[in-house]
Amino acid sequence: MYVQELQPVAGSLGLSALVAALPLLIVLVLLGGVRLKAHLAGLAGLAAAVLVACLAYGMPLDQTLSSAVQGAVFGLFPILWIVVNALWVYRMTVRTRHFDVLRRSFGRLSDDPRIQALVVAFCFGALLEALAGFGAPVAICSVMLVALGFDPVRAAVVSLVANTAPVAFGAMGTPVVTLAQVTGLPLDSVASVVGRQTPLLALIVPLVLVGLVDGRRGLRETWLPALVCGVAFAVAQFAASNYVSAQLADIAASLAGAGALVAVPHARVAAAESVRASVLTGVRSEELDEPDPRPQVVRAYAPYALIVVIFSVAQIPAVKDWLAKATRTYDWPFLNVVSPDGKPVGGNVFVWPIVSTGGTLVLLAGICTAAVLGVHAREAVKEWAATVRELRFAILTVTSVLALAYVMNLSGQAATIGHLVAAAGAGLAFLSPVLGWFGVAVSGSDTSANALFGALQVTAAQEAGLSPELLAAANSSGGVLGKMISPQNLAIACAAVGLAGREGDLLRKVLPWSVGLLLVMCLIVLGQSTPVLDWMLP
C-alpha cells in the first residue's frame, strides 16, 4: 500500500509544492521556451514526474509505472478512440468530395461576407471542433474563408477567434471527459457547469467576429443576426450539455446557430457592393459557383445527421442501460494507493465502457457514413488506418500527457500543489480560469490542460471551501480562450492560408481578444462562486 503524503520534502508544503511542480514546469518551458515538439515535451515531463514520485514522494517504482500505464491506456481509450473515429468520418467526406458540396452549400446561404464569416468560422467551425478538434477547425475554416474572397490575415484571425466557445466540448466532448476522469468528478456534473459558462462566450463571440470583418459598420448593420446566432448557439449548447449529452453539445449548438442565421431575414440580404469591396480583398474561388444536385447536398449533411441520431438514441434510458451492460470494471494491477486520510483513491480501479463510450458510437456513425457516401469497405479501412497514421504524434502527445497527469495525481504531487494554491482563498475563483488559459496557450489543447491542472483545481477548491465542480469547469472554460494564442494553432492558421513565418503578426491581432474574453470568464466564475451568480449553477 502506498499512502500519499502532502509534505514529503523537509516537512514543508512550499518546498514540496516546488518539487511537485517540476514536471509541469519542464513541459511548459520545453513547449513555450525551447519550442520542443509536444510529444517530446510530454515524454520529458513524464520522466520527471516518475523521478519526483519515486525519489521525493517515495512511491514504489512498480506503482509509479503502473499509474503511468493507466494514464496512457485512458489516453488511448476513450480519448483517442473518439478523436480517431471522428476524424475518420471527416476524412471520408473529403475523399468522396462531399465536403466540397457542404462548403458550397454554406457559401450560398448569404452574399454578405459578415454572415459568411459567422456561418463558416463560427457555426461550421464548431461542427468541425465537435468532430475532430486539434486544430482542424482553424485550418479548414481559414481556407474556406480565403476561397470566399477574404484576405488571408483576416481569414486566419476570424477563424482563430471563432474557435473558442465550442472547444470545451470538442472532439465529441473529449476535454470534459478527460476532466471528469482525472478529477474523479461525475461527467454529467462537470459538463453541466461548463455548459453554464462557455455559452456566455457564445453570446459575445459572433459580435466580435462581425466587428473583426467589417469594424463598427459590421456591428451596426449585422448585430441582429450575430446576436440571434449567438443566442441560438448558447441555448443549444447549454441544453445539450445539461440535459442530453456532452458529446452532442457542439453539434447541436453549431446546427442551431446556422439554422438561426438562415431564419433571420437580414442574413439573406445581399451585402452592399461597398461592403463586399472593402471586406473581400482576396480572390473568390470559381468552384463555389458549381451547382450541386439536391441528393448530393443531402448526402453531404448525412454524416453529421447520423452522429446526432445515434448519440440521441444512445441517451434513451432503456438503450443507455443496455449499452452500459458491456462496461467492464477492473482492479488495476500493481496499484494500491490511499489518500492521506487513508481512503482508497479512484485510480485503483479502471472502468472500460466498451460500447457506450463516444468513440464506439462515432465508429458506428462512421460505418453508416461509409454506406451512405458509397465508400467501399476496403477504402474505409484504409482511411481509418491513414487517420491513425496522421495522428501518430498527437497520439504520443496525448498518451504521454495523460500518463504524466496520472503519475502526478496518484503520487500526491497534484494534491500538494493544490493545497498551496488554495492559499489564494476566495481569489482562487477569479484565478482558476487563468490556469486553464495558460495551460492551453502553451500546450494548444484543452484536453491536455485539463489533464495537467484538473486535479489541482479540485484539491485547491476543497481546501478553499469552494465548489470542486466550479473550479474544474473553470479550468476548461478558461482554457478555451488560450486556444487562439497557442503557438500550435497560430502555426496551423499561418500554414493554411500561406502566411508561414507571420505567426507573430497573428498573435498581436488576437492577443487582446484572448485576454479580454479571459477577463470576462474570470468575472463569470468569480460571480458563480458568490451569491451574485451562484443561482446559475446546478
Side-chain angles (χ1 to χ4, degrees):
M1 179 183 294
Y2 168 69
V3 182
Q4 293 176 340
E5 189 176 350
L6 295 177
Q7 304 179 38
V9 181
S12 167
L13 182 62
L15 288 176
S16 299
L18 185 62
V19 173
L22 285 176
L24 294 177
L25 293 174
I26 288 173
V27 172
L28 298 178
V29 169
L30 291 179
L31 277 174
V34 182
R35 299 291 179 87
L36 194 65
K37 292 185 182 298
H39 62 280
L40 296 177
L43 290 172
L46 172 59
V50 169
L51 289 175
V52 170
C54 293
L55 301 179
Y57 280 76
M59 189 178 195
L61 180 60
D62 60 341
Q63 297 211 47
T64 303
L65 295 179
S66 180
S67 61
V69 172
Q70 183 180 165
V73 170
F74 177 72
L76 291 171
F77 192 98
I79 302 302
L80 288 164
W81 182 235
I82 298 172
V83 174
V84 168
N85 290 326
L87 193 55
W88 173 54
V89 173
Y90 163 72
R91 284 179 63 99
M92 285 193 291
T93 66
V94 173
R95 181 183 181 85
T96 59
R97 303 192 67 83
H98 284 90
F99 177 77
D100 294 332
V101 176
L102 192 68
R103 181 178 61 166
R104 288 192 288 270
S105 174
F106 288 156
R108 297 188 190 102
L109 290 177
S110 174
D111 291 329
D112 190 329
R114 299 163 298 191
I115 302 302
Q116 290 174 343
L118 292 177
V119 172
V120 173
F122 188 68
C123 298
F124 187 58
L127 188 59
L128 291 173
E129 183 67 38
L131 295 178
F134 294 92
V138 170
I140 294 168
C141 292
S142 297
V143 171
M144 290 177 70
L145 289 176
V146 169
L148 288 169
F150 280 71
D151 170 75
V153 172
R154 185 174 292 172
V157 170
V158 168
S159 298
L160 285 165
V161 174
N163 191 220
T164 48
V167 169
F169 296 104
M172 306 307 294
T174 296
V176 291
V177 169
T178 303
L179 184 62
Q181 182 67 21
V182 300
T183 59
L185 299 173
L187 173 59
D188 291 345
S189 299
V190 174
S192 177
V193 179
V194 175
R196 296 162 191 248
Q197 294 172 344
T198 56
L200 298 176
L201 293 177
L203 299 175
I204 303 172
V205 171
L207 296 170
V208 172
L209 295 180
V210 296
L212 286 172
V213 172
D214 195 28
R216 292 182 179 178
R217 180 178 61 180
L219 274 173
R220 185 174 63 253
E221 296 180 358
T222 57
W223 67 269
L224 179 59
L227 184 60
V228 169
C229 175
V231 169
F233 187 103
V235 170
Q237 191 182 62
F238 161 75
S241 60
N242 277 267
Y243 305 113
V244 184
S245 166
Q247 287 89 344
L248 281 179
D250 280 349
I251 294 178
S254 61
L255 296 178
L261 279 176
V262 174
V264 177
H266 292 277
R268 296 199 296 266
V269 177
E273 287 300 321
S274 59
V275 174
R276 294 176 60 83
S278 61
V279 173
L280 301 182
T281 55
V283 179
R284 187 175 185 275
S285 172
E286 295 181 0
E287 182 190 346
L288 294 172
D289 299 322
E290 294 181 11
D292 293 303
R294 184 176 296 274
Q296 290 294 85
V297 175
V298 172
R299 280 186 171 186
Y301 283 91
Y304 313 107
L306 285 168
I307 290 175
V308 172
V309 170
I310 289 173
F311 270 86
S312 299
V313 170
Q315 299 308 311
I316 298 173
V319 177
K320 191 173 185 178
D321 293 342
W322 180 69
L323 294 176
K325 290 180 180 178
T327 299
R328 298 290 181 267
T329 302
Y330 304 96
D331 290 327
W332 193 258
F334 308 110
L335 205 58
N336 185 12
V337 180
V338 296
S339 62
D341 57 7
K343 297 180 180 179
V345 301
N348 295 329
V349 176
F350 183 78
V351 180
W352 186 18
I354 303 172
V355 180
S356 60
T357 187
T360 304
L361 298 177
V362 176
L363 176 65
L364 177 59
I367 294 171
C368 296
T369 295
V372 171
L373 300 185
V375 181
H376 191 277
R378 183 181 301 134
E379 296 302 320
V381 172
K382 284 183 179 179
E383 282 297 326
W384 194 91
T387 303
V388 174
R389 186 166 59 250
E390 178 185 335
L391 291 174
R392 60 190 182 279
F393 291 118
I395 291 172
L396 186 55
T397 300
V398 171
T399 52
S400 62
V401 168
L402 264 297
L404 158 65
Y406 268 60
V407 170
M408 290 192 65
N409 294 344
L410 291 174
S411 65
Q413 296 173 56
T416 297
I417 301 173
H419 277 73
L420 184 69
V421 172
L428 181 61
F430 182 84
L431 295 175
S432 58
V434 179
L435 191 59
W437 174 82
F438 182 69
V440 176
V442 172
S443 68
S445 167
D446 201 37
T447 299
S448 296
N450 286 344
L452 292 173
F453 300 131
L456 186 156
Q457 296 267 23
V458 168
T459 301
Q462 291 169 338
E463 288 299 305
L466 297 170
S467 165
E469 289 83 1
L470 175 62
L471 294 203
N475 192 83
S476 191
S477 299
V480 307
L481 300 167
K483 191 89 167 175
M484 69 178 85
I485 63 169
S486 71
Q488 171 185 307
N489 257 25
L490 290 170
I492 288 172
C494 285
V497 297
L499 295 174
R502 295 185 58 183
E503 289 85 357
D505 294 340
L506 289 187
L507 177 61
R508 285 189 290 274
K509 289 182 178 296
V510 299
L511 182 59
W513 295 109
S514 178
V515 174
L517 291 172
L518 174 64
L519 178 59
V520 171
M521 182 54 65
C522 290
L523 292 174
I524 290 171
V525 175
L526 178 62
Q528 290 177 334
S529 70
T530 69
V532 177
L533 293 179
D534 65 357
W535 52 268
M536 294 179 61
L537 300 179

